[in-house]
Amino acid sequence: MTEPADEKDVIIQLDDVDACPACGEQRVLKARFVHTWKNMQGEAMSGLREAALCPECDRGDPAADELLALFAVDEKLGINNIETFGALVAAWVESVRHQKADETLLADEHEQWSGEL
């Protein structure tokens, strides 16, 4: 998978997408994009973020559901659905881009790892 050129660039992978580590279901696609966040000092940090669409784990999220519905009716993404796919994947990436980490889970993991060191 190549790297995104800038914050507007999103790289989509449809082939050879790994199975979901949470449920084992085959994921539908993977997206890589630039992601910016603030560190604990409030400074802006940038890096790459990768998100994958799992038909089991992502069910119930409106943007994911619409994209999964397209794959249900057009598994191979025919030429007639390219524009629809583009709009739906853009909406899904935008929704994923705004998801935040679970701070409680991160703190618990940090505490667990700190105790093991």
Side-chain angles (χ1 to χ4, degrees), residues 77-96:
L77 284 178
I79 193 76
N80 295 336
N81 284 322
I82 293 299
E83 285 185 37
T84 302
F85 172 73
L88 292 176
V89 80
W92 174 72
V93 167
E94 194 58 29
S95 75
V96 171

Side-chain angles (χ1 to χ4, degrees), residues 7-100:
E7 289 195 17
K8 295 179 183 176
D9 198 15
V10 177
I11 307 297
I12 302 296
Q13 178 181 342
L14 294 167
D15 295 330
D16 301 321
V17 180
D18 302 335
C20 177
C23 72
E25 187 78 24
Q26 185 61 42
R27 296 185 291 188
V28 178
L29 63 81
K30 190 184 294 185
R32 182 178 287 173
F33 50 92
V34 174
H35 179 67
T36 304
W37 68 97
K38 291 194 186 280
N39 66 14
M40 293 186 83
Q41 288 77 33
E43 301 165 326
M45 306 293 293
S46 288
L48 293 178
R49 183 167 177 192
E50 210 169 75
L53 180 63
C54 174
E56 188 64 34
C57 296
D58 293 323
R59 190 173 303 172
D61 173 75
D65 286 344
E66 289 186 25
L67 191 50
L68 290 168
L70 176 63
F71 279 101
V73 297
D74 189 1
E75 187 176 315
K76 301 287 184 196
L77 284 178
I79 193 76
N80 295 336
N81 284 322
I82 293 299
E83 285 185 37
T84 302
F85 172 73
L88 292 176
V89 80
W92 174 72
V93 167
E94 194 58 29
S95 75
V96 171
R97 189 184 302 269
H98 294 289
Q99 290 176 352
K100 303 270 189 240

